Amino acid sequence: MNTKILFRSLILFFFCAISTQAQEVLTIEEAMKIALENNFEIKIAKNNTRVSETNVTVGNAGMLPTATASVTDNNSIQNSSQTRQDGTSTNLDNAKNNSLTYGVSLGWTVFDGMKMFARYDQLKELQKLGDAELKSTILVKIGQVNSAYYDLVQKQQQLAALDTTIVISKQRLTLAQNRFTIGKASKLEVLNAQVDLNSDQVALLRQKEAYANGKILLNQYLARDPKIDFKVTDNVTVDNKLVLADLMNLAQKQNPVLETQIINKRVAELQLKQVRADRYPVVRLTSGYNFAESESSLGFTSSTSNRGLNYGFNATLNIFDGFNQHRNEKVAKIQIENSQIAIEQQNLILNTQLSTAFQTYLTNLELIDLEEDNEAIAKQNLEITLDKFRIGTITTIDFRTAQLNYVNAKVRYSNAQFEAKLSEIALKELAGNINF
């Protein structure tokens, strides 16, 4: 059999075996969509964002009046004795007394040093903070899905390589047995071929185990049944046109961690405004309409009834509180300073991470080209070695070496593609630019 025809047959055999399995072909786009819909941490982050959004109201900021309805009913039974100025006295056992008061009161803070407006702006910033945290969670989880997905692609490619080498090892064993039968080879050659075939089968089993576990992990990220079976696509496409300067510019605008630090500074500035508002008076309007009824078994008045409107205002001003106002303002200013330091620190960390990841990315791109060439050379070498082995001009050790070199070259090429893809994912995650 011609060597090229043999390789074509092996490849055809492998893809036919795969196509006969009734498995879902899961694309990376479908995986990300499922993760966005099902992932538990993303769901929690979305709910937290809804809480932040719900809290942004003028009422929560203290801008609206409050109305309170109240009712008070007091009753008593007492033994009473009264002595008047003229010396007469009155005694009554089990005297009943009761009073009932009910009504509605209204209060409205009309001025508090603009604290309510600062509080409302702070609630808006907290909503933005929730959005940034949601984006951060999504980017992290989508990054995990991408990594787990392309890890499966890598393992699937390596399974194909191991399947190929097992077919070759079986061919080698058959040739060795035939040569032993006609007396052109020793029993040792047959045994060596059998041992190498067994080793290849062990490696294949281990790889199948790793592949199955990789599917379970990806199903976990997708928050679905670990038993769901599927296959992934066969190719890894690496974006080789990333530019460090562009990534850094995007990171300044879109990185959710940096965005969080910037929002935290704004929240701290609004907190200082609220603290400073305590230096101003607080003016509150009050009004209400009340009903009051009382009955007494003993006394000059047996019953009374009142109803009517009351209204007014009150104003308070903090004159001296033990220097707590000064202390609170000083603490708020320190918090703003810390927020600015955190922004500068995050900028440095972000630029460092981007620079390091980009250098790794460039190295991995070069490795892809190198390992692709190595795989082509190793394949050509194996084809020549297989022809020579069939006619008995090389030893089994030389053949096995060429076989392992080919398998290792395919594995290294697969690893290079995977590592380059991981570098791409890491850079886009830092830049806040993963498409999902």
Side-chain angles (χ1 to χ4, degrees), residues 15-83:
F15 281 105
C16 288
I18 292 293
S19 62
T20 55
Q21 300 177 8
Q23 291 179 327
E24 168 198 1
V25 179
L26 181 68
T27 65
I28 184 60
E29 292 80 13
E30 291 170 344
M32 289 190 289
K33 180 180 178 182
I34 294 171
L36 288 172
E37 294 174 352
N38 295 351
N39 184 269
F40 297 116
E41 293 182 47
I42 293 178
K43 284 183 176 181
I44 292 173
K46 285 181 179 179
N47 284 337
N48 289 337
T49 302
R50 291 172 59 194
V51 171
S52 300
E53 182 181 355
T54 303
N55 283 332
V56 183
T57 63
V58 291
N60 194 20
M63 295 182 180
L64 299 180
T66 59
T68 305
S70 63
V71 57
T72 303
D73 185 17
N74 292 319
N75 300 278
S76 65
I77 299 177
Q78 299 177 346
N79 295 329
S80 301
S81 176
Q82 291 183 349
T83 301

Side-chain angles (χ1 to χ4, degrees), residues 84-188:
R84 302 183 180 87
Q85 293 290 337
D86 59 3
T88 60
S89 63
T90 303
N91 297 308
L92 181 62
D93 293 336
N94 299 323
K96 294 183 178 180
N97 301 284
N98 60 71
S99 64
L100 176 63
T101 303
Y102 55 96
V104 177
S105 61
L106 179 69
W108 190 6
T109 300
V110 294
F111 182 77
D112 62 354
M114 311 302 286
K115 178 188 286 189
M116 64 182 74
F117 296 98
R119 172 62 179 164
Y120 187 60
D121 289 339
Q122 190 179 58
L123 291 173
K124 292 180 180 179
E125 293 299 322
L126 291 175
Q127 180 185 353
K128 294 179 183 177
L129 184 62
D131 293 338
E133 291 173 349
L134 171 61
K135 181 180 178 182
S136 178
T137 300
I138 290 176
L139 283 174
V140 170
K141 293 305 164 187
I142 291 301
Q144 288 179 343
V145 169
N146 274 268
S147 299
Y149 184 89
Y150 287 109
D151 180 55
L152 276 177
V153 175
Q154 176 200 33
K155 288 181 169 59
Q156 187 168 272
Q157 290 173 343
Q158 293 176 4
L159 273 177
L162 290 171
D163 277 333
T164 301
T165 196
I166 283 178
V167 173
I168 295 173
S169 293
K170 288 180 178 179
Q171 289 279 341
R172 174 191 165 192
L173 178 60
T174 301
L175 287 173
Q177 288 172 338
N178 292 338
R179 292 171 63 182
F180 174 72
T181 301
I182 63 177
K184 287 188 176 182
S186 66
K187 183 66 174 179
L188 181 60

Side-chain angles (χ1 to χ4, degrees), residues 231-247:
K231 73 180 294 285
V232 294
T233 54
D234 298 307
N235 298 320
V236 178
T237 303
V238 180
D239 185 355
N240 58 0
K241 297 181 180 179
L242 298 181
V243 179
L244 181 58
D246 295 341
L247 292 169

Side-chain angles (χ1 to χ4, degrees), residues 151 155 181 196 210 262 291-292 304 318 326 334-335 338 409 436:
D151 180 55
K155 288 181 169 59
T181 301
D196 290 340
I262 294 173
F291 299 82
T304 60
N318 177 23
H326 177 72
I334 294 174
Q335 294 295 342
N338 283 342
F436 48 84

Side-chain angles (χ1 to χ4, degrees), residues 264-265 268-269 271 328-341:
N264 281 333
K265 181 186 177 184
E269 291 171 345
Q271 184 62 35
N328 291 336
E329 290 183 13
K330 187 175 181 180
V331 170
K333 290 178 181 178
I334 294 174
Q335 294 295 342
I336 294 175
E337 183 180 347
N338 283 342
S339 299
Q340 180 60 39
I341 293 173

Side-chain angles (χ1 to χ4, degrees), residues 345-365:
Q345 180 188 34
Q346 186 58 40
N347 266 318
L348 178 60
I349 292 173
L350 186 57
N351 289 335
T352 302
Q353 290 176 332
L354 279 169
S355 298
T356 303
F358 191 77
Q359 186 58 52
T360 303
Y361 165 76
L362 293 178
T363 302
N364 287 330
L365 288 181

